[in-house]
Amino acid sequence: KAGVTQTPRYLIKTRGQQVTLSCSPISGHRSVSWYQQTPGQGLQFLFEYFSETQRNKGNFPGRFSGRQFSNSRSEMNVSTLELGDSALYLCASSLAGIFPGLFFGPGTRLTVL
Amino acid sequence: SQQGEEDPQALSIQEGENATMNCSYKTSINNLQWYRQNSGRGLVHLILIRSNEREKHSGRLRVTLDTSKKSSSLLITASRAADTASYFCATDARNTDKLIFGTGTRLQVFP
């Protein structure tokens, strides 16, 4: 089975712009989670989708949003980018939840100038 | 916010030595998981231990869990240069599907 894929792998944006990141989960996986990783804050949970519904949400402002499509592919959007949004954004998939573990993609490295 | 804190933050050892990393967490959990991350890449799931288990083994990995102390440890025996990576513990809050990661331990194994 192909692993979790994320596109694009690298992205450079300027403050105020918006960005959309894409994640394709492992075939058959219905749960997709998103994490932000920065040197200062570590791995922070953004949100989790299951069967097109957001089931869990982290403590991020409303500028961060996501969605999941009927084929389980997911996108996350960040509007009005700030310098502090520069991070590695990781997507993870699983069959139905966090048990017995998540399968992570390689991440999208976002740089905001 | 992070559920877990790991100790030490960084660890350097020689090949063949054992590496021990510790994780402490704050709230009751169902499971605790350990992940490895090679420099700036995605995480790889290593092992899961349930809250009613005390010890679990997988190859060169040994994980312990002490729910009374809200702590876990990961032992990598006979380390190899390829084990060089960051290691994270992750816990779930009861009745949620949120996996919350610790701060991580950076392990460097010298040949």
Side-chain angles (χ1 to χ4, degrees):
Chain A
K1 273 186 181 179
V4 178
T5 58
Q6 292 187 245
T7 56
R9 292 291 312 278
Y10 302 90
L11 206 47
I12 299 175
K13 291 285 188 179
T14 56
R15 278 180 299 175
Q17 287 187 310
Q18 75 162 21
V19 67
T20 299
L21 312 181
S22 180
C23 171
S24 292
I26 291 171
S27 178
H29 285 191
R30 296 168 65 190
S31 171
V32 174
S33 300
W34 288 89
Y35 288 83
Q36 180 198 65
Q37 186 176 29
T38 60
Q41 298 297 316
L43 278 153
Q44 301 282 322
F45 174 79
L46 280 156
F47 26 66
E48 184 247 351
Y49 287 87
F50 179 80
S51 291
E52 301 179 68
T53 300
Q54 187 182 89
R55 281 200 303 196
N56 291 286
K57 190 176 188 306
N59 297 323
F60 277 81
R63 300 185 297 107
F64 292 81
S65 63
R67 59 178 175 168
Q68 186 180 34
F69 302 95
S70 58
N71 61 358
S72 293
R73 191 177 70 84
S74 177
E75 288 181 349
M76 67 162 281
N77 184 276
V78 187
S79 63
T80 319
L81 283 166
E82 301 176 0
L83 295 179
D85 297 333
S86 294
L88 181 66
Y89 290 88
L90 293 161
C91 162
S93 77
S94 65
L95 281 171
I98 58 177
F99 184 88
L102 301 181
F103 293 82
F104 279 83
T108 293
R109 173 76 61 184
L110 172 65
T111 301
V112 182
L113 302 175
Chain B
S1 63
Q2 276 159 321
Q3 159 81 304
E5 281 196 14
E6 279 151 89
D7 169 58
Q9 287 189 336
L11 180 61
S12 295
I13 59 174
Q14 296 290 132
E15 258 188 339
E17 294 180 336
N18 295 342
T20 299
M21 289 156 262
N22 303 296
C23 165
S24 60
Y25 57 92
K26 298 172 187 171
T27 63
S28 295
I29 62 171
N30 292 316
N31 308 290
L32 185 143
Q33 305 180 29
W34 284 89
Y35 287 79
R36 182 188 74 228
Q37 183 179 34
N38 291 89
S39 182
R41 304 181 72 174
L43 283 77
V44 175
H45 181 261
L46 295 175
I47 194 167
L48 176 146
I49 186 165
R50 298 173 192 254
S51 59
N52 63 354
E53 297 176 310
R54 292 296 167 257
E55 187 170 313
K56 201 161 183 181
H57 296 253
S58 177
R60 295 184 295 112
L61 306 179
R62 172 178 165 251
V63 170
T64 62
L65 179 64
D66 186 336
T67 53
S68 67
K69 295 181 180 177
K70 292 186 169 61
S71 68
S72 174
S73 69
L74 171 68
L75 168 67
I76 303 174
T77 59
S79 295
R80 306 165 181 168
D83 295 327
T84 294
S86 291
Y87 292 81
F88 295 87
C89 67
T91 55
D92 59 334
R94 287 196 183 270
N95 302 317
T96 75
D97 264 323
K98 285 167 63 169
L99 197 60
I100 306 300
F101 285 82
T103 51
T105 293
R106 289 189 315 277
L107 173 65
Q108 175 84 50
V109 182
F110 291 99

